[in-house]
Amino acid sequence: MSNYKSLLTLRLLKGIIEIFVNSFFVMYFLTISNQNVLQLGIYYVVVYLTVYLSIYFLGNYSKGSRRINLLRIGIILNLVYFLFILFLKEKLVDYIYFMAIIYGLEEGFYYSVYNNFESIGIKNVQRCEFAGTYTMIKSIVSIIIPIVFGRVITEHSFSLCTIIIVILVVLQIIISFVFKDEKQTSTVKVDLKAYKEQLKRFKLVNKIHSVSLLNGLIYSGAFNSVITLYIIKVLNNSIELGIFSSIFAIITCFLGFFFAEVLPKKNYRIIIILSSIFTVLGIGLLIWQTSFTTVVIFNFLQTFSSTLINLIIDNKELDMANYNHSIKKYRIEYFITMEKKTFIGRFIGYILYMFLGITTNYILNDLVLLLFGITVVVLSVHLIKLEER
């Protein structure tokens, strides 16, 4: 198996596992915790703080000759995380912050090297094809998986569904031994101060870090949890959640094909503008009224926006790591800084998320949603400027 296929398989398995964590785990936790959104918000803050600190302190190891072991440790920690879920069951609520640390360490170890592997292993000219192919395949799988997960949870148990996830994690471990990392000869330690000096010369790299912060607040952070919260509000059980997720996975599948095979880079600008308009319109609908119909329309608009914007941002973040020789030299510092900015955005976002979950004042709820909408517009402006370079 080539490294291209290994990376694609690892990313697909990670994506399937995230479907479970981001939807069914959230529904399960809210059910056993009596809809404790505040506790769930704190859980996410602890997770992302642990992720950033892990990546920060693992920086020097990420440059070492045995850095592939960091990826494997991350996957093993993921296995431990799901085994704890199986063991704790309803008692999970009492250990949720401990679980947050385990999950944060898993993500931290994993992504301390994975982004670097993908940046080096996938050439810039292959990146749109890789990202689009991943999105298409994941979407096809996502059409079936949520329905399967929902039916297993409803007709059998959440634990049985978790066992399926454990099997997928074991498969991840196997694939990690198939991947062949390039030999590392450099022993230079991480130097964030020197990298910061380099950034003074490269405005585009600074701008992509700003995009990471804003994206952490929106598409890769708390806004996704807000969407899940609204979806769960209007659904009755795991089967309905599975069907709902599968329907929108079909849309994502077409968008992945469109991005990989149809959309030329010169048209990214108009996609960014349309995505911004769609997200703001969707937020406006939720501010106007929260019902099954408005949530469905909002999710349709959001699926279009988040899928294409995330593909564009992911490509730009990984491409920028190969911007020139100076940035390549500080690739680990680049990803550490990117993760730091993303964490700051996620932290701010989850503060808003917790506020959204605990307040019963509709005006304050609407103000929080409005802030998310404004952030979407600002993010779009930054991305358009990157397109105009």
Side-chain angles (χ1 to χ4, degrees):
M1 183 183 287
S2 66
N3 278 351
Y4 184 101
K5 291 180 179 178
S6 298
L7 288 169
L8 185 61
T9 305
L10 282 171
R11 193 167 175 183
L12 283 168
L13 289 170
K14 188 75 171 167
I16 294 169
I17 293 166
E18 284 173 355
I19 292 171
F20 174 80
V21 172
N22 295 334
S23 297
F24 296 97
F25 174 79
V26 172
M27 176 174 267
Y28 177 70
F29 176 80
L30 289 174
T31 300
I32 63 176
S33 68
N34 295 317
Q35 306 299 313
N36 195 330
V37 174
L38 177 61
Q39 194 175 24
L40 185 63
I42 296 171
Y43 164 85
Y44 279 117
V45 170
V46 174
V47 166
Y48 291 123
L49 176 60
T50 307
V51 172
Y52 167 64
L53 291 176
S54 299
I55 291 175
Y56 178 84
F57 286 111
L58 289 170
N60 288 328
Y61 297 100
S62 302
K63 289 190 172 186
S65 59
R66 297 182 180 179
R67 59 184 183 171
I68 186 65
N69 290 331
L70 296 178
L71 186 83
R72 291 170 185 152
I73 290 170
I75 299 171
I76 291 168
L77 284 169
N78 209 15
L79 181 63
V80 171
Y81 176 80
F82 289 113
L83 289 175
F84 267 120
I85 291 175
L86 281 172
F87 175 75
L88 291 171
K89 293 184 171 64
E90 287 80 5
K91 292 181 180 178
L92 176 70
V93 177
D94 300 324
Y95 298 92
I96 192 63
Y97 303 132
F98 168 75
M99 295 294 290
I101 293 171
I102 297 294
Y103 190 66
L105 286 171
E106 174 269 316
E107 293 282 285
F109 272 86
Y110 188 91
Y111 284 110
S112 67
V113 287
Y114 178 82
N115 285 330
N116 200 13
F117 288 155
E118 193 172 305
S119 175
I120 296 170
I122 308 298
K123 297 176 182 178
N124 284 7
V125 293
Q126 297 176 306
R127 206 167 309 283
C128 288
E129 176 196 347
F130 179 87
T133 302
Y134 160 75
T135 303
M136 281 190 292
I137 298 173
K138 183 195 170 186
S139 300
I140 292 169
V141 173
S142 299
I143 295 168
I144 303 167
I145 291 294
I147 295 175
V148 173
F149 284 173
R151 186 166 292 278
V152 168
I153 292 170
T154 302
E155 296 184 358
H156 299 280
S157 68
F158 183 80
S159 294
L160 181 58
C161 194
T162 307
I163 291 171
I164 296 171
I165 296 299
V166 166
I167 294 170
L168 295 180
V169 176
V170 171
L171 186 55
Q172 272 188 303
I173 295 172
I174 295 169
I175 297 297
S176 73
F177 282 94
V178 175
F179 177 79
K180 304 295 181 185
D181 187 20
E182 64 180 27
K183 188 176 180 181
Q184 299 297 303
T185 57
S186 173
T187 57
V188 178
K189 292 186 176 181
V190 169
D191 191 342
L192 290 169
K193 185 176 180 181
Y195 174 68
K196 191 174 181 180
E197 288 297 316
Q198 290 290 325
L199 285 180
K200 294 177 181 178
R201 299 165 46 204
F202 304 116
K203 291 183 179 179
L204 283 175
V205 183
N206 266 313
K207 196 168 289 295
I208 200 69
H209 285 321
S210 297
V211 166
S212 296
L213 188 151
L214 293 166
N215 193 39
L217 209 162
I218 297 292
Y219 296 113
S220 71
F223 195 55
N224 278 333
S225 298
V226 170
I227 295 166
T228 303
L229 199 62
Y230 274 94
I231 291 170
I232 291 172
K233 277 183 180 180
V234 297
L235 299 179
N236 296 316
N237 54 53
S238 295
I239 290 180
E240 287 187 3
L241 178 59
I243 294 170
F244 193 90
S245 301
S246 295
I247 290 170
F248 284 95
I250 296 172
I251 299 170
T252 305
C253 178
F254 283 113
L255 290 172
F257 173 80
F258 173 71
F259 185 85
E261 303 296 335
V262 180
L263 181 65
K265 284 190 174 183
K266 64 181 181 180
N267 290 341
Y268 281 5
R269 187 174 185 272
I270 188 144
I271 291 298
I272 293 165
I273 293 170
L274 282 174
S275 297
S276 175
I277 293 170
F278 281 3
T279 303
V280 171
L281 280 175
I283 290 171
L285 276 176
L286 289 186
I287 291 174
W288 172 60
Q289 185 183 57
T290 301
S291 66
F292 180 80
T293 303
T294 56
V295 169
V296 168
I297 296 171
F298 167 73
N299 207 51
F300 172 79
L301 296 171
Q302 173 60 19
T303 298
F304 176 91
S305 303
S306 62
T307 301
L308 293 177
I309 290 295
N310 271 322
L311 284 168
I312 291 171
I313 291 174
D314 286 349
N315 283 354
K316 288 190 176 299
E317 286 179 337
L318 293 171
D319 281 352
M320 199 65 74
N322 301 319
Y323 180 61
N324 60 26
H325 179 72
S326 296
I327 298 302
K328 285 181 181 179
K329 179 182 175 183
Y330 293 100
R331 190 180 270 116
I332 295 299
E333 288 84 351
Y334 168 83
F335 284 118
I336 290 174
T337 304
M338 188 177 79
E339 191 60 41
K340 175 185 175 182
K341 297 292 185 177
T342 304
F343 165 70
I344 292 170
R346 285 170 171 168
F347 179 80
I348 296 169
Y350 275 105
I351 294 297
L352 294 174
Y353 171 79
M354 287 186 281
F355 187 77
L356 194 64
I358 62 176
T359 181
T360 56
N361 188 307
Y362 291 111
I363 295 176
L364 293 177
N365 270 340
D366 293 347
L367 283 173
V368 171
L369 289 173
L370 186 60
L371 282 173
F372 280 122
I374 292 170
T375 306
V376 167
V377 174
V378 176
L379 172 61
S380 299
V381 170
H382 276 72
L383 282 174
I384 289 169
K385 287 181 178 179
L386 280 172
E387 287 300 311
E388 292 173 348
R389 66 185 177 90

